[in-house]
Amino acid sequence: MAVSNVLFSDVESFLDSHPELFEDYLNRKGSPGMVEKWLKNHQESKGPAAAAAPAEPREKKGGRDGSWASRCDGLQRRASQKELRRTFARSKAINANRTYDEHVNSRAQEPLTSMRRRALLRKASSLPPTTAHILSALLESRVNIPQYPSTAVDFKYYLKEHSEREFFLELVKDISNDLDLTSLSYKILVFVCIMVDADRCSLFLVEGTGNKKTLVSKFFDVHAGTTVLPSMNSDEVQVPWGKGIIGYVAEHGETVNIPDAYQDRRFSDEIDKLTGYKTKSLLCMPIRNSDGEIIGVAQAINKTSSGELFAEDDEKVLQMYLPFCGIAISNAQLFAASRKEYDRSRALLEVVNDLFEEQTDLEKIVRKIMHRAQTLLKCERCSVQLLEDIESPVVKFTKSFELLSPKCSADTEGSFKDSMEKSSYSDWLINNSIAELVASTGLPVNISDAYQDPRFDAEADQFSDFHIRSVLCVPIWNSSHQIIGVAQVLNRLDGKPFDDADQRLFEAFVIFCGLGINNTIMYDQVKKSWAKQSVALDVLSYHATCSKTEVDKFKAANIPLVCELGIDKLSFDDFSLDVDAMITAALRMFMELGMVQKFKIDYETLCRWLLTVRKNYRMVLYHNWRHAFNVCQCMFAMLTTAGFQETLTELEILALIVGCVCHDLDHRGTNNAFQAKTGSALALLYGTSATLEHHHFNHAVMILQSEGHNIFSNLSSTEYSDLMQLLKQSILATDLTLYFENRNVFFELVSNGEYNWNVKAHRDMCRSMMMTACDLGAVTKPWEISRKVAELVTSEFFEQGDRERLELKLTPSAIFDRNRKDELPGLQLEWIDGICAPLYETLAKLNPKLLPMLDMIKANRAKWEELNKKRQHGQSVSAPTSPCSGDSTEPSGCTVAKTGSTPCCSGRNDGTPSKATS
């Protein structure tokens, strides 16, 4: 036959070139006996020579896994059982453990991916005979395994053969000095394999208490040839208490020695059928501590010698060795527990230190709380939500703070989000359902599996970038045992649910957090209360409403005409009227503009309101009642003479007139910067932005709300609401900070011819500019009036500078420093050129009827220029200053203070300057 002429070497060469043909033939024709014979022959021939021949086909390297994979360089053995386990586990399993192969040294030159493929799961033959529990043991671990040479194993085999006493002492000594539970468990399994000649061993430790006990093993299928130390991050195998062979041994404390696993009803052969691995015998024995309590179960599978069973001698050896293991495990567990409690106690002490170091800023203290919570509980996210009203039965959160663990986010800088309103909460806050439940009941909620809890919105979570597994939410209490908020942590970093120890720790932690948050909130409330009380007492002690006699006097008085008073002139003399004449002139303005008739203002109420407003201006040098009246007169002239009355609505006109009268109510003769520097009650109450302007508005509202003073009482609710918004806008517009923010836009609109009265934003800007122009109006008056106003402003500013030098130990700026009064003409020029002139030029473009104001500015500037030249030539000059109003901060580009010179006012309410500076 032709076959007889074929050489065996040719056939072997052909099969080497076509390994897939050989594999296909073996799969179809091969028998289990052939595989067992091949494994036995190659197991016996395993030695150093095998490891020294990496170029040989891989079937030459002995092993227990009998199948082959095709490779371009010939046949190569692969662990067929484990490949099947991996495929099966990937599609079915939920929990995982790790199998460690004994032939690591012989595979040292395999690719890393191949080595990882071999670190697969082996069947847990003693798991409960249900598919769910079998599948839970079959997930491949993807964690890199650190390798350590196992040089002591050979020595222990030597001692076992030559001196059983020395061998046993060596094993006991080796575990007695190891307090790391991970390495200790690994050693115990290796030593058990050596003692009873087991093929594989597993160790399960008891976790939990009472009815919540489970058996957990991080190390599965370890054997004496293992040369790797299990990774700390390896997944675990969990066995329910009392289930399967492992659970039975743990529950009853009995030794189970099964010669034939297939004859025991508790054993499942599902994985054996899948992988082809034959489980023959099992030996399971409980591990007890010194008190006799079961703390674990050791399991040995299959004798290494083919056909042998675990004998009674094996049981006796383990019965002698496992008590020592129990003591060592107990010591390691106690050490780990004490270390954990030490770390947690130290963390709590650090929390207390943090909380009592910072009690003035809520955001800072909450940030510290969340960082500490993540450190303690090692979670992915945490949040703190504070209740809006702790007395209300309705749960409503006013602020929420959230923090993402740096391990879950590359952007740690943006992981902390500042306090937000409820409407902007993140999607992972579970729509607040759980947080609201905790806040309403006061009971903690610990959800181990969020998707199985009806309180959790699984659909919302699926659309989120962050997926929630477990939730621990506890209430935050104050010292009065009232709930002030909730603290919530999500997803432990190790993937486990939060346990009872976590809950107890978090509750203890939140006790301190509640005290810290409550103290911070109370501190803020005390500060605000003190500020309110201080301001209220100050106002009440200084101010009072007008008397009935005064009201009756002006109610019956004859009011001069506009032409008699001269209040319609842009060049009105700010010092021409006495204090009573200013009241009658103000009454005439309201009547002339039609406000009394249009809005049905009660005349007696109007008189009372004006007199009370006059009383509520302090007797400071400049920012007093005369200044307020002059600002109002300037606005009246712009409305009537310049014709703005025809363009603005009646509601806008009323808001502007009332705003001018009230724009500096209760002014203290110092500016916003001074309030901030001194930390005054006004600064604490209103903040450092437009401090005085907010106070002026609130004071105006207080007068309007006083009995018999509401001149707006006949307005409809809509008109009243709109008017109060316009009034607030008008008063705040006198802050030069807002003027600088808006003026460039307004200037460009007018310059480019794009200003449109029908656009609301344009109208708002124009009204604001008109308020500023009236507030600075003294610079547009004839020289003698303008200069007199400047002297009053200078005197008031110098008094503030004296206080800065005396109280704050600061050197005041030039405009406030009476020692530098000779510099003021130059500063006045800067004031006119940088602030005043551009404003009036733009308004004159918008309304040419305002050109006389611009012409007067130019004339006054010439006078200041003349004084400045005299100063530069060394001649003595009097010291006028920039007519700035002291409410605002110093504008950039100008060294003068922040309020502009508005119509002058006397240092006393009768119009006579009480102090001037020369």
Side-chain angles (χ1 to χ4, degrees):
M1 294 178 62
V3 177
S4 62
N5 297 327
V6 178
L7 298 176
F8 179 78
S9 59
D10 294 337
V11 174
E12 185 176 23
S13 176
F14 175 80
L15 293 177
D16 288 343
S17 301
H18 301 82
E20 66 279 359
L21 297 179
F22 176 72
E23 182 177 2
D24 179 67
Y25 178 81
L26 184 62
N27 287 335
R28 290 186 292 104
K29 300 293 186 178
S31 64
M34 294 171 58
V35 175
E36 290 291 339
K37 183 177 180 181
W38 188 94
L39 288 174
K40 183 176 180 181
N41 292 338
H42 284 73
Q43 177 66 24
E44 292 174 354
S45 64
K46 181 180 68 172
E56 295 180 13
R58 292 187 57 179
E59 71 271 13
K60 303 269 184 177
K61 301 176 185 178
R64 288 185 171 90
D65 302 319
S67 65
W68 296 263
S70 61
R71 292 286 292 266
C72 59
D73 55 347
L75 290 178
Q76 176 175 325
R77 183 186 67 81
R78 72 178 183 189
S80 62
Q81 300 104 314
K82 296 176 183 179
E83 284 294 319
L84 290 170
R85 292 183 196 116
R86 179 176 66 176
T87 304
F88 181 70
R90 279 179 173 172
S91 61
K92 301 289 185 180
I94 15 181
N95 292 327
N97 61 342
R98 187 189 300 279
T99 298
Y100 299 97
D101 199 294
E102 62 182 336
H103 305 298
V104 174
N105 290 334
S106 65
R107 298 186 185 127
Q109 300 186 28
E110 290 183 19
L112 181 61
T113 54
S114 176
M115 296 182 66
R116 286 180 179 173
R117 281 199 303 269
R118 296 183 182 282
L120 302 176
L121 300 170
R122 178 194 177 277
K123 77 172 182 63
S125 56
S126 57
L127 290 177
T130 63
T131 303
H133 288 99
I134 293 172
L135 299 182
S136 68
L138 298 177
L139 185 63
E140 175 189 9
S141 174
R142 298 174 181 271
V143 182
N144 294 330
I145 303 174
Q147 296 194 10
Y148 301 90
S150 181
T151 56
V153 174
D154 293 338
F155 177 66
K156 291 179 174 57
Y157 273 118
Y158 174 83
L159 289 179
K160 180 182 179 182
E161 293 177 2
H162 295 83
S163 174
E164 289 187 0
R165 179 176 177 276
E166 292 294 328
F167 166 71
F168 191 86
L169 290 176
E170 177 67 17
L171 297 188
V172 172
K173 183 179 67 174
D174 210 353
I175 64 172
S176 64
N177 59 2
D178 197 336
L179 291 177
D180 181 77
L181 190 59
T182 302
S183 61
L184 176 64
S185 301
Y186 163 73
K187 288 180 180 179
I188 289 174
L189 292 179
V190 172
F191 297 164
V192 168
C193 286
I194 296 174
M195 295 181 73
V196 299
D197 294 325
D199 181 30
R200 306 286 166 130
C201 284
S202 300
L203 176 64
F204 292 82
L205 300 180
V206 178
E207 288 188 359
T209 57
N211 297 328
K212 297 182 179 180
K213 286 184 179 180
T214 57
L215 294 158
V216 179
S217 175
K218 289 186 178 181
F219 315 130
F220 203 72
D221 287 356
V222 174
H223 53 81
T226 302
T227 57
V228 294
L229 188 63
S231 169
M232 289 296 293
N233 295 324
S234 60
D235 294 327
E236 300 175 347
V237 177
Q238 295 189 10
V239 177
W241 188 260
K243 302 296 182 179
I245 297 176
I246 295 293
Y248 176 86
V249 172
E251 184 178 31
H252 295 88
E254 300 176 3
T255 299
V256 173
N257 189 347
I258 303 175
D260 188 351
Y262 281 79
Q263 299 302 316
D264 194 288
R265 60 180 177 81
R266 296 165 296 186
F267 176 78
S268 174
D269 62 349
E270 182 174 347
I271 304 178
D272 275 9
K273 291 179 179 178
L274 175 69
T275 62
Y277 184 90
K278 182 69 173 181
T279 300
K280 299 177 181 177
S281 56
L282 288 172
L283 176 58
C284 289
M285 189 173 292
I287 301 176
R288 302 176 185 270
N289 60 16
S290 57
D291 297 327
E293 181 183 359
I294 295 176
I295 60 173
V297 174
Q299 174 188 259
I301 303 174
N302 289 358
K303 278 281 201 175
T304 54
S305 302
S306 179
E308 292 190 17
L309 304 176
F310 293 105
E312 185 177 350
D313 289 339
D314 295 324
E315 295 182 26
K316 291 180 179 179
V317 169
L318 282 187
Q319 286 174 353
M320 294 174 59
Y321 181 65
L322 291 185
F324 294 98
C325 296
I327 296 172
I329 291 173
S330 296
N331 291 338
Q333 288 176 334
L334 287 173
F335 178 79
S338 62
R339 180 74 184 184
K340 188 175 183 180
E341 288 300 320
Y342 169 79
D343 292 337
R344 290 184 168 185
S345 299
R346 181 174 179 178
L348 285 176
L349 289 175
E350 291 174 350
V351 167
V352 175
N353 182 64
D354 286 346
L355 297 182
F356 289 96
E357 272 186 350
E358 178 57 66
Q359 291 194 348
T360 59
D361 190 308
L362 183 62
E363 180 181 325
K364 289 181 180 179
I365 198 170
V366 173
R367 180 182 290 131
K368 287 185 177 182
I369 287 172
M370 292 192 294
H371 277 297
R372 289 296 181 189
Q374 284 194 339
T375 302
L376 283 174
L377 299 175
K378 296 179 175 57
C379 59
E380 294 180 2
R381 281 187 186 265
C382 66
S383 70
V384 172
Q385 295 165 258
L386 302 180
L387 289 173
E388 184 179 51
D389 184 3
I390 62 176
E391 302 289 347
S392 174
V394 179
V395 175
K396 183 179 180 182
F397 297 111
T398 181
K399 287 186 178 180
S400 172
F401 304 84
E402 31 181 304
L403 185 66
L404 172 65
S405 170
K407 295 183 179 179
C408 301
S409 172
D411 184 15
T412 57
E413 294 295 327
S415 62
F416 181 81
K417 302 177 182 178
D418 292 338
S419 60
M420 301 170 295
E421 298 301 325
K422 181 179 177 182
S423 60
S424 62
Y425 281 176
S426 297
D427 46 16
W428 61 271
L429 288 178
I430 326 172
N431 298 324
N432 290 325
S433 57
I434 295 176
E436 290 175 354
L437 175 65
V438 172
S440 60
T441 62
L443 300 176
V445 170
N446 190 348
I447 301 176
S448 57
D449 188 350
Y451 277 76
Q452 300 301 318
D453 194 283
R455 297 165 293 187
F456 179 75
D457 189 353
E459 293 183 2
D461 186 65
Q462 292 174 355
F463 290 100
S464 169
D465 294 331
F466 179 82
H467 298 294
I468 300 171
R469 301 186 303 272
S470 55
V471 181
L472 176 58
C473 188
V474 299
I476 301 175
W477 305 85
N478 62 15
S479 56
S480 302
H481 205 66
Q482 294 174 305
I483 297 176
I484 60 175
V486 296
Q488 183 173 260
V489 290
L490 305 176
N491 297 359
R492 275 177 43 165
L493 291 174
D494 59 7
K496 295 181 180 179
F498 297 101
D499 54 26
D500 291 340
D502 292 327
Q503 182 172 329
R504 289 193 301 271
L505 175 64
F506 198 38
E507 289 176 334
F509 169 79
V510 167
I511 291 175
F512 297 106
C513 297
L515 294 176
I517 292 174
N518 185 60
N519 290 345
T520 305
I521 294 174
M522 289 181 63
Y523 178 82
D524 187 61
Q525 291 174 345
V526 167
K527 283 201 307 180
K528 288 186 176 180
S529 297
W530 176 86
K532 288 181 179 180
Q533 182 184 21
S534 178
V535 172
L537 289 176
D538 193 22
V539 169
L540 291 174
S541 64
Y542 186 86
H543 303 298
T545 58
C546 62
S547 65
K548 186 177 184 301
T549 304
E550 289 180 302
V551 175
D552 293 340
K553 171 185 172 182
F554 285 97
K555 181 180 178 182
N558 293 321
I559 307 301
L561 298 176
V562 171
C563 59
E564 296 173 355
L565 296 168
I567 55 178
D568 59 338
K569 297 178 181 179
L570 295 173
S571 59
F572 174 77
D573 184 352
D574 292 350
F575 300 96
S576 62
L577 302 177
D578 60 24
V579 289
D580 287 343
M582 286 188 283
I583 294 292
T584 57
L587 289 170
R588 172 54 63 187
M589 292 180 199
F590 275 87
M591 291 187 290
E592 191 69 20
L593 292 170
M595 299 295 101
V596 177
Q597 299 83 356
K598 168 62 180 176
F599 297 105
K600 299 176 182 172
I601 300 175
D602 181 73
Y603 189 72
E604 181 179 343
T605 302
L606 180 60
C607 294
R608 184 181 297 108
W609 176 76
L610 281 170
L611 288 167
T612 300
V613 167
R614 184 180 70 178
K615 266 188 167 293
N616 280 265
Y617 273 93
R618 299 195 179 203
M619 296 180 68
V620 294
L621 293 176
Y622 174 65
H623 292 95
N624 50 31
W625 164 244
R626 182 171 294 278
H627 167 63
F629 171 78
N630 289 329
V631 173
C632 184
Q633 180 277 324
C634 188
M635 180 63 73
F636 178 78
M638 292 178 69
L639 291 171
T640 56
T641 304
F644 279 104
Q645 184 180 11
E646 301 173 1
T647 307
L648 298 173
T649 66
E650 292 173 324
L651 208 62
E652 289 175 320
I653 293 172
L654 179 61
L656 288 172
I657 290 296
V658 174
C660 288
V661 173
C662 300
H663 84 281
D664 271 335
L665 270 170
D666 195 46
H667 199 290
R668 283 93 190 286
T670 53
N671 63 4
N672 285 335
F674 186 82
Q675 307 303 320
K677 290 176 185 176
T678 58
S680 68
L682 289 177
L684 292 175
L685 184 58
Y686 299 110
T688 57
S689 175
T691 304
L692 289 171
E693 287 72 25
H694 280 99
H695 177 58
H696 302 327
F697 171 72
N698 287 346
H699 202 88
V701 173
M702 182 186 72
I703 294 175
L704 287 169
Q705 291 177 346
S706 301
E707 185 178 357
H709 290 76
N710 189 3
I711 59 175
F712 306 144
S713 60
N714 291 322
L715 273 65
S716 66
S717 59
T718 302
E719 288 176 329
Y720 184 85
S721 177
D722 293 343
L723 178 61
M724 295 307 293
Q725 290 295 324
L726 293 171
L727 178 60
K728 183 176 184 179
Q729 184 187 60
S730 299
I731 294 177
L732 294 183
T734 60
D735 179 14
L736 284 190
T737 301
L738 297 178
Y739 163 71
F740 278 106
E741 289 177 0
N742 297 325
R743 73 171 194 168
N744 289 338
V745 177
F746 180 72
F747 291 173
E748 289 181 8
L749 288 173
V750 175
S751 178
N752 298 333
E754 298 175 355
Y755 181 84
N756 188 346
W757 283 103
N758 296 321
V759 177
K760 182 180 180 301
H762 293 189
R763 295 177 71 92
D764 292 345
M765 279 190 289
C766 184
R767 290 196 311 274
S768 297
M769 295 300 155
M770 290 174 65
M771 286 295 300
T772 303
C774 293
D775 198 17
L776 311 182
V779 77
T780 69
K781 300 300 175 71
W783 169 248
E784 292 302 326
I785 299 173
S786 180
R787 173 151 179 180
K788 189 174 181 179
V789 172
E791 291 175 352
L792 293 171
V793 175
T794 301
S795 299
E796 186 175 287
F797 284 179
F798 283 171
E799 288 190 356
Q800 176 178 322
D802 294 341
R803 292 184 61 184
E804 290 181 359
R805 182 179 283 108
L806 179 64
E807 299 174 14
L808 304 178
K809 311 301 180 185
L810 298 175
T811 300
S813 58
I815 197 66
F816 297 97
D817 192 350
R818 65 175 69 252
N819 299 327
R820 301 172 63 184
K821 58 185 178 182
D822 58 327
E823 301 178 21
L824 295 178
L827 295 174
Q828 184 67 32
L829 292 173
E830 293 181 10
W831 167 258
I832 293 175
D833 294 339
I835 296 178
C836 301
L839 173 61
Y840 292 102
E841 287 173 358
T842 304
L843 289 175
K845 290 180 182 178
L846 185 64
N847 188 342
K849 293 181 181 181
L850 297 178
L851 282 173
M853 301 178 76
L854 185 60
D855 294 338
M856 194 58 68
I857 289 179
K858 295 177 181 178
N860 289 336
R861 189 192 184 284
K863 294 289 186 178
W864 289 114
E865 179 71 27
E866 182 181 350
L867 289 176
N868 190 48
K869 289 180 180 179
K870 288 181 180 180
R871 184 190 69 84
Q872 292 175 351
H873 288 85
Q875 300 181 23
S876 175
V877 297
S878 57
T881 183
S882 99
C884 342
S885 95
D887 284 8
S888 306
T889 54
E890 221 171 271
S892 60
C894 181
T895 55
V896 253
K898 312 193 289 178
T899 44
S901 65
T902 24
C904 86
C905 46
S906 68
R908 302 184 338 212
N909 275 352
D910 61 2
T912 304
S914 62
K915 183 177 181 181
T917 303
S918 59

